[in-house]
Coordinates of all heavy atoms in Angstrom, one line a residue:
M1 N -6.7 -4.3 -16.2 CA -5.8 -3.9 -15.2 C -6.4 -3.7 -13.9 O -7.5 -3.2 -13.8 CB -5.2 -2.5 -15.7 CG -4.3 -2.6 -16.9 SD -3.6 -1.0 -17.4 CE -4.5 0.3 -16.8
A2 N -5.8 -4.2 -12.9 CA -6.2 -3.9 -11.5 C -5.1 -3.7 -10.6 O -4.0 -4.4 -10.7 CB -7.1 -5.1 -11.1
V3 N -5.2 -2.7 -9.8 CA -4.0 -2.4 -8.8 C -3.9 -3.5 -7.9 O -4.9 -4.0 -7.3 CB -4.3 -1.1 -8.1 CG1 -3.3 -0.8 -7.1 CG2 -4.4 0.1 -9.1
T4 N -2.7 -3.9 -7.7 CA -2.3 -5.0 -6.7 C -1.7 -4.3 -5.5 O -0.7 -3.5 -5.6 CB -1.3 -6.0 -7.3 OG1 -1.9 -6.6 -8.5 CG2 -0.9 -7.1 -6.3
W5 N -2.3 -4.5 -4.3 CA -1.8 -4.0 -3.1 C -0.9 -5.1 -2.4 O -1.3 -6.3 -2.4 CB -2.9 -3.6 -2.2 CG -3.6 -2.4 -2.6 CD1 -4.5 -2.2 -3.7 CD2 -3.4 -1.0 -2.1 NE1 -4.9 -1.0 -3.9 CE2 -4.2 -0.2 -2.9 CE3 -2.7 -0.5 -1.1 CZ2 -4.4 1.2 -2.6 CZ3 -2.8 0.9 -0.9 CH2 -3.6 1.7 -1.6
D6 N 0.2 -4.7 -1.8 CA 1.0 -5.6 -1.1 C 1.6 -5.0 0.2 O 1.4 -3.8 0.4 CB 2.2 -6.0 -2.0 CG 2.9 -7.4 -1.7 OD1 2.4 -8.0 -0.6 OD2 3.8 -7.8 -2.3
V7 N 2.1 -5.8 1.0 CA 2.7 -5.4 2.3 C 4.2 -5.6 2.3 O 4.6 -6.8 2.0 CB 2.0 -6.0 3.5 CG1 2.7 -5.6 4.8 CG2 0.6 -5.7 3.5
V8 N 5.0 -4.6 2.5 CA 6.4 -4.7 2.5 C 6.9 -5.1 3.9 O 7.8 -5.9 4.1 CB 7.1 -3.4 2.1 CG1 8.6 -3.4 2.2 CG2 6.6 -3.0 0.8
S9 N 6.2 -4.5 4.9 CA 6.7 -4.7 6.3 C 5.6 -4.3 7.3 O 4.7 -3.5 6.9 CB 8.0 -3.9 6.6 OG 8.4 -4.1 7.9
L10 N 5.6 -4.8 8.4 CA 4.8 -4.4 9.5 C 5.6 -4.0 10.7 O 6.5 -4.7 11.1 CB 3.8 -5.6 10.0 CG 3.0 -6.2 8.9 CD1 2.3 -7.5 9.4 CD2 1.9 -5.2 8.5
D11 N 5.2 -2.9 11.4 CA 5.8 -2.6 12.7 C 4.9 -2.9 13.8 O 3.6 -2.8 13.7 CB 6.0 -1.0 12.7 CG 6.9 -0.5 11.7 OD1 7.7 -1.2 11.2 OD2 6.9 0.8 11.5
A12 N 5.4 -3.5 14.8 CA 4.6 -4.0 16.0 C 5.2 -3.5 17.2 O 6.5 -3.4 17.4 CB 4.5 -5.5 15.9
T13 N 4.4 -3.3 18.3 CA 4.9 -3.0 19.6 C 4.7 -4.2 20.4 O 3.7 -4.9 20.3 CB 3.9 -1.8 20.2 OG1 4.1 -0.7 19.3 CG2 4.4 -1.5 21.6
K14 N 5.7 -4.5 21.2 CA 5.8 -5.8 22.0 C 4.6 -5.9 22.9 O 4.0 -7.0 23.0 CB 7.0 -5.9 22.7 CG 8.3 -6.1 21.9 CD 8.2 -7.5 21.2 CE 9.4 -7.8 20.3 NZ 9.2 -9.0 19.5
T15 N 4.2 -4.9 23.7 CA 3.1 -5.0 24.6 C 2.3 -3.7 24.6 O 2.9 -2.6 24.7 CB 3.6 -5.2 26.0 OG1 4.5 -6.4 26.0 CG2 2.5 -5.4 27.0
V16 N 1.0 -3.8 24.4 CA 0.0 -2.7 24.5 C -1.0 -3.2 25.5 O -1.9 -4.0 25.1 CB -0.5 -2.3 23.2 CG1 -1.5 -1.2 23.3 CG2 0.6 -1.8 22.2
G17 N -1.0 -2.7 26.6 CA -2.0 -3.1 27.7 C -1.8 -4.6 27.9 O -0.7 -5.1 28.2
S18 N -2.9 -5.4 27.7 CA -2.8 -6.8 27.9 C -2.5 -7.6 26.6 O -2.4 -8.8 26.6 CB -4.2 -7.3 28.4 OG -5.2 -7.1 27.5
L19 N -2.3 -6.9 25.5 CA -2.0 -7.4 24.2 C -0.5 -7.5 23.9 O 0.2 -6.6 24.3 CB -2.7 -6.7 23.1 CG -4.3 -6.6 23.2 CD1 -4.8 -5.7 22.2 CD2 -4.9 -7.9 23.3
S20 N -0.1 -8.6 23.2 CA 1.3 -8.7 22.8 C 1.4 -8.6 21.3 O 0.6 -9.1 20.5 CB 1.9 -10.0 23.3 OG 1.8 -10.1 24.7
D21 N 2.6 -8.1 20.8 CA 2.9 -8.0 19.4 C 1.8 -7.4 18.6 O 1.3 -8.0 17.7 CB 3.3 -9.4 18.9 CG 4.6 -9.9 19.4 OD1 5.5 -9.1 19.7 OD2 4.7 -11.1 19.7
V22 N 1.5 -6.2 18.9 CA 0.4 -5.4 18.4 C 0.9 -4.7 17.1 O 1.8 -3.8 17.2 CB -0.2 -4.4 19.4 CG1 -1.3 -3.6 18.8 CG2 -0.7 -5.2 20.6
I23 N 0.4 -4.9 16.0 CA 0.8 -4.2 14.8 C 0.3 -2.8 14.9 O -0.8 -2.5 15.1 CB 0.2 -4.9 13.5 CG1 0.8 -6.4 13.4 CG2 0.5 -4.1 12.2 CD1 0.2 -7.2 12.4
T24 N 1.2 -1.8 14.6 CA 0.9 -0.5 14.7 C 1.0 0.3 13.4 O 0.4 1.4 13.2 CB 1.9 0.2 15.7 OG1 3.3 0.0 15.3 CG2 1.7 -0.3 17.1
T25 N 1.9 -0.2 12.5 CA 2.1 0.4 11.2 C 2.2 -0.6 10.0 O 2.8 -1.6 10.3 CB 3.4 1.2 11.1 OG1 3.3 2.2 12.3 CG2 3.5 2.1 9.9
V26 N 1.5 -0.3 8.9 CA 1.7 -1.2 7.8 C 2.4 -0.4 6.7 O 2.0 0.8 6.3 CB 0.3 -1.5 7.2 CG1 0.4 -2.4 5.9 CG2 -0.5 -2.3 8.3
H27 N 3.5 -0.9 6.2 CA 4.2 -0.4 5.0 C 3.7 -1.0 3.8 O 3.8 -2.3 3.7 CB 5.7 -0.6 5.2 CG 6.3 0.1 6.4 ND1 6.8 1.3 6.4 CD2 6.3 -0.4 7.7 CE1 7.2 1.7 7.7 NE2 6.9 0.6 8.5
W28 N 3.2 -0.3 2.9 CA 2.5 -0.9 1.7 C 3.0 -0.5 0.4 O 3.6 0.5 0.3 CB 0.9 -0.7 1.8 CG 0.7 0.8 1.9 CD1 0.5 1.6 3.0 CD2 0.6 1.8 0.7 NE1 0.3 2.9 2.6 CE2 0.3 3.0 1.3 CE3 0.7 1.6 -0.6 CZ2 0.2 4.1 0.5 CZ3 0.5 2.7 -1.5 CH2 0.3 3.9 -0.9
T29 N 2.7 -1.3 -0.6 CA 2.9 -0.9 -2.1 C 1.7 -1.1 -2.8 O 0.8 -2.0 -2.4 CB 4.1 -1.7 -2.7 OG1 3.7 -3.0 -2.8 CG2 5.4 -1.5 -2.0
A30 N 1.5 -0.4 -3.9 CA 0.4 -0.6 -4.8 C 0.9 -0.4 -6.2 O 1.7 0.5 -6.4 CB -0.8 0.4 -4.6
S31 N 0.6 -1.4 -7.1 CA 1.2 -1.3 -8.4 C 0.2 -1.9 -9.4 O -0.7 -2.6 -9.1 CB 2.5 -2.0 -8.4 OG 2.3 -3.4 -8.2
D32 N 0.4 -1.5 -10.7 CA -0.3 -2.1 -11.8 C 0.6 -2.0 -13.1 O 1.6 -1.2 -13.1 CB -1.6 -1.3 -12.0 CG -2.6 -2.0 -12.8 OD1 -2.4 -3.1 -13.3 OD2 -3.7 -1.4 -13.2
A33 N 0.3 -2.8 -14.1 CA 1.0 -2.7 -15.3 C 0.1 -3.0 -16.5 O -0.9 -3.7 -16.4 CB 2.1 -3.8 -15.3
D34 N 0.5 -2.5 -17.6 CA -0.2 -2.7 -18.9 C 1.0 -3.0 -19.9 O 1.5 -1.9 -20.4 CB -1.0 -1.6 -19.3 CG -1.9 -1.8 -20.5 OD1 -1.8 -3.0 -21.1 OD2 -2.6 -0.9 -21.0
G35 N 1.3 -4.2 -20.1 CA 2.5 -4.5 -20.9 C 3.7 -3.9 -20.2 O 4.0 -4.2 -19.0
D36 N 4.5 -3.1 -21.0 CA 5.7 -2.6 -20.4 C 5.5 -1.3 -19.6 O 6.5 -0.8 -19.0 CB 6.8 -2.2 -21.6 CG 7.2 -3.5 -22.2 OD1 7.2 -4.6 -21.6 OD2 7.6 -3.4 -23.4
H37 N 4.3 -0.8 -19.5 CA 3.9 0.4 -18.8 C 3.4 0.1 -17.4 O 2.6 -0.7 -17.2 CB 2.9 1.1 -19.6 CG 3.3 1.3 -21.0 ND1 4.2 2.3 -21.4 CD2 2.9 0.7 -22.1 CE1 4.3 2.3 -22.7 NE2 3.6 1.3 -23.2
T38 N 4.1 0.7 -16.4 CA 3.8 0.4 -15.0 C 3.5 1.7 -14.2 O 3.9 2.8 -14.6 CB 5.0 -0.4 -14.4 OG1 6.2 0.5 -14.3 CG2 5.3 -1.6 -15.0
G39 N 2.8 1.5 -13.1 CA 2.5 2.5 -12.2 C 2.8 2.0 -10.8 O 2.6 0.8 -10.5
Y40 N 3.2 2.8 -9.8 CA 3.6 2.3 -8.5 C 3.4 3.4 -7.5 O 3.6 4.6 -7.8 CB 5.1 1.9 -8.6 CG 5.7 1.4 -7.3 CD1 5.6 0.1 -7.0 CD2 6.5 2.3 -6.5 CE1 6.2 -0.4 -5.8 CE2 7.0 1.8 -5.4 CZ 6.9 0.5 -5.0 OH 7.5 0.0 -3.9
S41 N 3.1 2.9 -6.3 CA 3.0 3.8 -5.2 C 3.4 3.1 -3.9 O 3.2 1.9 -3.8 CB 1.6 4.4 -5.0 OG 1.6 5.4 -4.0
Y42 N 4.0 3.8 -2.9 CA 4.5 3.2 -1.7 C 4.1 4.1 -0.5 O 4.1 5.4 -0.7 CB 6.0 3.0 -1.7 CG 6.6 2.6 -0.4 CD1 6.6 1.4 0.1 CD2 7.1 3.7 0.5 CE1 7.1 1.0 1.3 CE2 7.5 3.3 1.8 CZ 7.6 2.0 2.2 OH 8.0 1.7 3.4
G43 N 3.8 3.5 0.6 CA 3.5 4.4 1.7 C 3.5 3.6 3.0 O 3.7 2.4 3.0
A44 N 3.3 4.3 4.1 CA 3.1 3.6 5.4 C 1.9 4.3 6.1 O 1.7 5.5 5.9 CB 4.4 3.8 6.2
V45 N 1.2 3.5 6.8 CA 0.0 4.1 7.5 C 0.0 3.5 8.9 O 0.2 2.3 9.1 CB -1.3 3.9 6.7 CG1 -1.6 2.4 6.6 CG2 -2.4 4.6 7.3
G46 N -0.3 4.4 9.9 CA -0.5 3.9 11.3 C -1.8 3.3 11.5 O -2.8 3.8 10.9
L47 N -1.9 2.4 12.3 CA -3.3 1.7 12.5 C -3.9 2.3 13.8 O -3.2 2.8 14.7 CB -3.1 0.2 12.6 CG -2.6 -0.5 11.4 CD1 -2.5 -1.9 11.7 CD2 -3.4 -0.2 10.2
A48 N -5.1 2.2 13.9 CA -5.8 2.7 15.2 C -5.4 1.8 16.3 O -5.0 0.6 16.1 CB -7.4 2.5 15.0
E49 N -5.6 2.2 17.5 CA -5.3 1.4 18.7 C -6.0 0.1 18.7 O -7.2 0.0 18.3 CB -5.7 2.2 20.0 CG -5.2 1.6 21.2 CD -5.4 2.5 22.4 OE1 -5.1 3.7 22.4 OE2 -5.8 1.9 23.5
A50 N -5.3 -0.9 19.0 CA -5.8 -2.3 18.9 C -7.0 -2.5 19.9 O -6.9 -2.0 21.1 CB -4.7 -3.3 19.3
D51 N -7.9 -3.3 19.5 CA -9.1 -3.6 20.3 C -9.1 -5.0 20.7 O -9.1 -5.8 19.8 CB -10.4 -3.2 19.4 CG -11.7 -3.6 20.1 OD1 -11.7 -4.0 21.3 OD2 -12.8 -3.5 19.5
S52 N -9.1 -5.3 22.0 CA -8.9 -6.6 22.4 C -10.0 -7.6 21.9 O -9.8 -8.8 21.8 CB -8.8 -6.7 23.9 OG -10.0 -6.2 24.5
S53 N -11.2 -7.0 21.6 CA -12.3 -7.9 21.2 C -12.2 -8.3 19.7 O -12.8 -9.4 19.4 CB -13.6 -7.2 21.3 OG -13.7 -6.0 20.5
S54 N -11.3 -7.6 18.9 CA -11.1 -8.1 17.5 C -9.6 -8.2 17.2 O -9.3 -8.2 16.0 CB -11.8 -7.0 16.6 OG -11.2 -5.8 16.8
F55 N -8.9 -8.4 18.2 CA -7.4 -8.5 18.0 C -7.0 -9.7 17.3 O -7.5 -10.8 17.6 CB -6.7 -8.4 19.4 CG -5.2 -8.5 19.3 CD1 -4.4 -7.5 18.8 CD2 -4.5 -9.6 19.7 CE1 -3.1 -7.5 18.8 CE2 -3.2 -9.8 19.7 CZ -2.5 -8.7 19.2
T56 N -6.1 -9.6 16.4 CA -5.6 -10.7 15.7 C -4.0 -10.8 16.1 O -3.3 -9.9 15.9 CB -5.6 -10.6 14.1 OG1 -7.0 -10.5 13.8 CG2 -5.0 -11.8 13.5
A57 N -3.6 -12.0 16.6 CA -2.3 -12.2 17.0 C -1.3 -12.0 15.9 O -1.6 -12.5 14.7 CB -2.1 -13.6 17.7
Y58 N -0.2 -11.4 16.1 CA 0.8 -11.2 15.1 C 1.1 -12.4 14.2 O 1.1 -12.3 13.0 CB 2.1 -10.7 15.7 CG 3.2 -10.3 14.7 CD1 3.2 -9.0 14.2 CD2 4.2 -11.2 14.3 CE1 4.1 -8.6 13.3 CE2 5.1 -10.8 13.4 CZ 5.1 -9.6 12.9 OH 6.1 -9.1 12.0
A59 N 1.3 -13.5 14.9 CA 1.6 -14.8 14.1 C 0.4 -15.3 13.2 O 0.6 -16.1 12.3 CB 2.0 -15.9 15.1
S60 N -0.8 -14.8 13.5 CA -1.9 -15.2 12.7 C -2.3 -14.2 11.7 O -3.3 -14.5 10.9 CB -3.1 -15.4 13.7 OG -2.8 -16.4 14.6
V61 N -1.6 -13.1 11.6 CA -2.0 -12.0 10.5 C -1.6 -12.5 9.2 O -0.5 -13.1 9.0 CB -1.3 -10.7 10.9 CG1 -1.5 -9.7 9.8 CG2 -1.8 -10.2 12.2
T62 N -2.5 -12.3 8.2 CA -2.2 -12.7 6.8 C -2.0 -11.4 6.1 O -2.3 -10.3 6.5 CB -3.4 -13.4 6.2 OG1 -4.6 -12.5 6.2 CG2 -3.8 -14.7 7.0
K63 N -1.5 -11.5 4.9 CA -1.2 -10.4 4.0 C -2.6 -9.7 3.7 O -2.8 -8.5 3.7 CB -0.6 -10.9 2.7 CG -0.5 -9.8 1.6 CD 0.2 -10.4 0.4 CE -0.4 -9.8 -0.8 NZ 0.2 -10.3 -2.1
E64 N -3.6 -10.5 3.6 CA -5.0 -10.0 3.3 C -5.5 -9.1 4.4 O -6.1 -8.1 4.2 CB -6.0 -11.1 2.9 CG -5.7 -11.8 1.6 CD -4.5 -12.8 1.6 OE1 -4.1 -13.2 2.7 OE2 -4.0 -13.0 0.5
N65 N -5.2 -9.6 5.7 CA -5.6 -8.8 6.8 C -4.9 -7.5 6.8 O -5.5 -6.4 6.9 CB -5.1 -9.5 8.2 CG -5.8 -10.8 8.5 OD1 -5.2 -11.7 9.0 ND2 -7.1 -10.8 8.3
A66 N -3.5 -7.5 6.6 CA -2.7 -6.3 6.7 C -3.1 -5.3 5.5 O -3.2 -4.1 5.8 CB -1.3 -6.6 6.6
V67 N -3.4 -5.8 4.3 CA -3.9 -5.0 3.2 C -5.2 -4.3 3.5 O -5.4 -3.1 3.4 CB -3.9 -5.7 1.9 CG1 -4.6 -4.9 0.8 CG2 -2.5 -6.1 1.4
A68 N -6.1 -5.1 4.1 CA -7.4 -4.6 4.5 C -7.3 -3.5 5.5 O -7.9 -2.5 5.4 CB -8.4 -5.7 4.9
W69 N -6.4 -3.8 6.5 CA -6.3 -2.8 7.6 C -5.6 -1.5 7.1 O -6.0 -0.4 7.4 CB -5.4 -3.3 8.7 CG -6.0 -4.5 9.4 CD1 -7.2 -4.8 9.5 CD2 -5.2 -5.5 10.1 NE1 -7.4 -6.0 10.2 CE2 -6.2 -6.4 10.6 CE3 -3.9 -5.7 10.4 CZ2 -5.8 -7.5 11.4 CZ3 -3.5 -6.8 11.2 CH2 -4.5 -7.7 11.7
A70 N -4.7 -1.6 6.2 CA -4.0 -0.5 5.6 C -5.0 0.4 4.8 O -5.0 1.6 4.9 CB -2.8 -0.9 4.7
K71 N -5.7 -0.3 3.9 CA -6.7 0.4 3.1 C -7.8 1.1 4.0 O -8.2 2.2 3.7 CB -7.4 -0.5 2.1 CG -6.5 -0.9 1.0 CD -7.2 -2.0 0.1 CE -7.2 -1.7 -1.3 NZ -7.9 -2.7 -2.1
A72 N -8.2 0.5 5.0 CA -9.2 1.1 5.9 C -8.6 2.3 6.7 O -9.3 3.4 6.8 CB -9.7 0.0 7.0
A73 N -7.3 2.2 7.1 CA -6.7 3.3 7.7 C -6.4 4.5 6.7 O -6.5 5.7 7.1 CB -5.4 2.8 8.4
I74 N -6.1 4.1 5.5 CA -5.9 5.1 4.5 C -7.2 5.9 4.1 O -7.2 7.1 4.0 CB -5.3 4.6 3.2 CG1 -3.8 4.1 3.5 CG2 -5.3 5.5 2.1 CD1 -3.2 3.1 2.4
G75 N -8.3 5.1 4.0 CA -9.6 5.7 3.7 C -9.9 5.5 2.3 O -9.0 5.5 1.4
S76 N -11.2 5.3 2.0 CA -11.5 4.9 0.6 C -11.2 6.1 -0.4 O -10.9 5.8 -1.5 CB -13.0 4.6 0.5 OG -13.8 5.6 0.9
D77 N -11.4 7.3 0.0 CA -11.1 8.4 -0.9 C -9.6 8.4 -1.3 O -9.3 8.6 -2.6 CB -11.5 9.8 -0.4 CG -13.0 10.0 -0.3 OD1 -13.8 9.2 -1.0 OD2 -13.4 10.9 0.4
E78 N -8.7 8.2 -0.3 CA -7.3 8.2 -0.6 C -6.9 6.9 -1.4 O -6.0 7.0 -2.3 CB -6.5 8.3 0.7 CG -5.0 8.5 0.5 CD -4.7 9.8 -0.4 OE1 -5.4 10.7 -0.4 OE2 -3.5 9.8 -0.9
V79 N -7.5 5.8 -1.1 CA -7.2 4.5 -1.9 C -7.6 4.8 -3.3 O -6.8 4.5 -4.2 CB -8.0 3.4 -1.2 CG1 -8.0 2.2 -2.2 CG2 -7.5 3.0 0.1
T80 N -8.7 5.5 -3.6 CA -9.1 5.8 -4.9 C -8.1 6.7 -5.6 O -7.8 6.5 -6.8 CB -10.5 6.4 -5.0 OG1 -11.5 5.4 -4.4 CG2 -11.0 6.8 -6.3
A81 N -7.7 7.8 -4.8 CA -6.7 8.6 -5.4 C -5.4 8.0 -5.7 O -4.8 8.2 -6.8 CB -6.4 9.8 -4.4
I82 N -4.9 7.1 -4.9 CA -3.7 6.3 -5.1 C -3.8 5.5 -6.4 O -3.0 5.5 -7.3 CB -3.4 5.4 -3.9 CG1 -2.9 6.3 -2.7 CG2 -2.3 4.4 -4.3 CD1 -2.8 5.6 -1.4
E83 N -4.9 4.8 -6.5 CA -5.2 3.9 -7.7 C -5.4 4.8 -9.0 O -4.9 4.4 -10.0 CB -6.4 3.0 -7.5 CG -6.1 2.0 -6.4 CD -7.2 1.0 -6.1 OE1 -8.3 1.2 -6.6 OE2 -7.0 0.0 -5.3
T84 N -6.0 5.9 -8.8 CA -6.1 6.8 -10.0 C -4.7 7.4 -10.4 O -4.4 7.4 -11.6 CB -7.0 8.0 -9.7 OG1 -8.3 7.4 -9.3 CG2 -7.2 8.9 -10.8
G85 N -3.9 7.6 -9.4 CA -2.6 8.1 -9.7 C -1.7 7.0 -10.4 O -0.9 7.4 -11.3
I86 N -1.9 5.8 -10.0 CA -1.2 4.7 -10.7 C -1.6 4.6 -12.2 O -0.8 4.4 -13.1 CB -1.4 3.4 -9.9 CG1 -0.6 3.5 -8.5 CG2 -0.9 2.2 -10.7 CD1 -0.9 2.4 -7.6
A87 N -2.9 4.7 -12.4 CA -3.4 4.7 -13.7 C -2.9 5.8 -14.6 O -2.6 5.7 -15.7 CB -5.0 4.7 -13.7
A88 N -2.7 7.0 -13.9 CA -2.2 8.1 -14.6 C -0.7 7.9 -15.0 O -0.3 8.4 -16.1 CB -2.4 9.4 -13.7
Q89 N 0.0 7.3 -14.1 CA 1.4 7.0 -14.5 C 1.5 6.0 -15.6 O 2.4 6.3 -16.5 CB 2.1 6.3 -13.3 CG 2.3 7.1 -12.1 CD 2.8 6.3 -10.9 OE1 3.6 5.3 -11.1 NE2 2.5 6.7 -9.6
I90 N 0.6 5.1 -15.8 CA 0.6 4.2 -16.9 C 0.2 4.9 -18.2 O 0.8 4.8 -19.2 CB -0.3 3.0 -16.6 CG1 0.2 2.1 -15.5 CG2 -0.6 2.2 -17.9 CD1 -0.8 1.0 -15.0
T91 N -0.8 5.8 -18.1 CA -1.1 6.6 -19.2 C 0.0 7.5 -19.7 O 0.2 7.6 -20.9 CB -2.4 7.5 -18.9 OG1 -3.5 6.6 -18.6 CG2 -2.8 8.4 -20.0
E92 N 0.7 8.1 -18.7 CA 1.7 9.0 -19.1 C 2.9 8.2 -19.7 O 3.5 8.7 -20.6 CB 2.3 9.7 -17.8 CG 3.5 10.6 -18.1 CD 3.3 11.8 -18.9 OE1 2.1 12.2 -19.0 OE2 4.2 12.4 -19.5
S93 N 3.1 7.0 -19.3 CA 4.2 6.1 -19.9 C 3.8 5.8 -21.3 O 4.7 5.7 -22.2 CB 4.3 4.8 -19.0 OG 5.3 4.0 -19.6
K94 N 2.5 5.5 -21.6 CA 2.1 5.2 -22.9 C 2.1 6.4 -23.9 O 2.5 6.2 -25.1 CB 0.7 4.6 -22.9 CG 0.5 3.3 -22.2 CD -1.0 2.9 -22.2 CE -1.2 1.5 -21.8 NZ -2.7 1.1 -21.8
T95 N 1.7 7.5 -23.4 CA 1.5 8.7 -24.2 C 2.2 9.9 -23.5 O 1.5 10.7 -22.9 CB 0.1 9.0 -24.6 OG1 -0.7 9.1 -23.3 CG2 -0.5 7.9 -25.4
P96 N 3.5 10.0 -23.4 CA 4.2 11.0 -22.7 C 3.8 12.4 -23.1 O 3.6 12.7 -24.2 CB 5.6 10.8 -23.0 CG 5.8 9.4 -23.6 CD 4.4 9.1 -24.2
T97 N 3.7 13.3 -22.1 CA 3.3 14.6 -22.3 C 4.6 15.5 -22.2 O 4.6 16.7 -22.4 CB 2.3 15.2 -21.3 OG1 2.7 15.0 -20.0 CG2 1.0 14.4 -21.6
V98 N 5.7 14.9 -21.7 CA 7.0 15.6 -21.5 C 8.1 14.8 -22.3 O 8.0 13.5 -22.2 CB 7.3 15.7 -20.0 CG1 8.7 16.3 -19.9 CG2 6.3 16.4 -19.3
T99 N 8.9 15.5 -22.9 CA 10.1 14.9 -23.6 C 11.3 15.3 -22.9 O 11.5 16.5 -22.6 CB 10.1 15.2 -25.0 OG1 8.9 14.9 -25.6 CG2 11.3 14.6 -25.8
A100 N 12.3 14.4 -22.7 CA 13.6 14.7 -22.1 C 14.6 14.1 -23.1 O 14.4 13.1 -23.7 CB 13.7 14.1 -20.8
G101 N 15.8 14.8 -23.1 CA 16.9 14.3 -24.0 C 17.4 15.4 -24.9 O 17.2 16.6 -24.6
V102 N 18.0 15.0 -26.0 CA 18.4 16.0 -27.0 C 17.9 15.6 -28.3 O 17.6 14.4 -28.6 CB 20.0 16.0 -27.0 CG1 20.5 16.5 -25.6 CG2 20.6 14.6 -27.2
P103 N 17.8 16.6 -29.2 CA 17.2 16.2 -30.5 C 18.1 15.6 -31.5 O 17.7 15.3 -32.6 CB 16.7 17.7 -31.0 CG 17.6 18.6 -30.3 CD 18.0 18.0 -29.0
W104 N 19.4 15.4 -31.3 CA 20.2 14.8 -32.2 C 20.6 13.4 -31.9 O 20.5 12.8 -31.0 CB 21.6 15.6 -32.4 CG 22.3 15.8 -31.1 CD1 23.2 14.9 -30.6 CD2 22.2 16.8 -30.1 NE1 23.8 15.3 -29.4 CE2 23.1 16.5 -29.0 CE3 21.4 17.9 -30.0 CZ2 23.2 17.3 -27.9 CZ3 21.5 18.7 -28.8 CH2 22.4 18.4 -27.8

């Protein structure tokens, strides 16, 4: 099992200084599955101000770029916490610690 990160949407500002179509926010998902048991997380993270020396034009941004930027903005400790939480969801699905319903 490995958590898969994806990008749902990107927010961009039309003009920031001399740059155009600057991505400001990444809306992301992270998920994993083990058979029928799944774990999922969703969030959005703002990116640091664009740097003209390393700027990637909106039309040239790849999913891999956006995922890397989101993970960097979230921070490695929080990325680990998100992935650990997804694993915990899968474990809870496999071996529930809470029961809901009626006994009849």
Side-chain angles (χ1 to χ4, degrees):
M1 295 184 329
V3 174
T4 300
W5 288 77
D6 202 357
V7 175
V8 176
S9 181
L10 300 170
D11 296 342
T13 300
K14 290 294 181 187
T15 304
V16 177
S18 63
L19 304 174
S20 298
D21 293 324
V22 177
I23 296 171
T24 56
T25 305
V26 178
H27 300 266
W28 55 267
T29 62
S31 62
D32 196 3
D34 185 2
D36 292 336
H37 306 281
T38 62
Y40 178 84
S41 187
Y42 168 85
V45 63
L47 301 179
E49 189 171 317
D51 177 6
S52 61
S53 66
S54 63
F55 180 71
T56 303
Y58 184 86
S60 298
V61 172
T62 65
K63 175 179 144 180
E64 290 75 21
N65 293 139
V67 167
W69 296 338
K71 287 172 128 181
I74 292 167
S76 62
D77 289 346
E78 186 61 21
V79 167
T80 299
I82 290 165
E83 292 181 350
T84 301
I86 290 168
Q89 290 174 30
I90 293 169
T91 299
E92 177 66 22
S93 176
K94 288 178 175 180
T95 55
T97 58
V98 176
T99 301
V102 294
W104 59 89

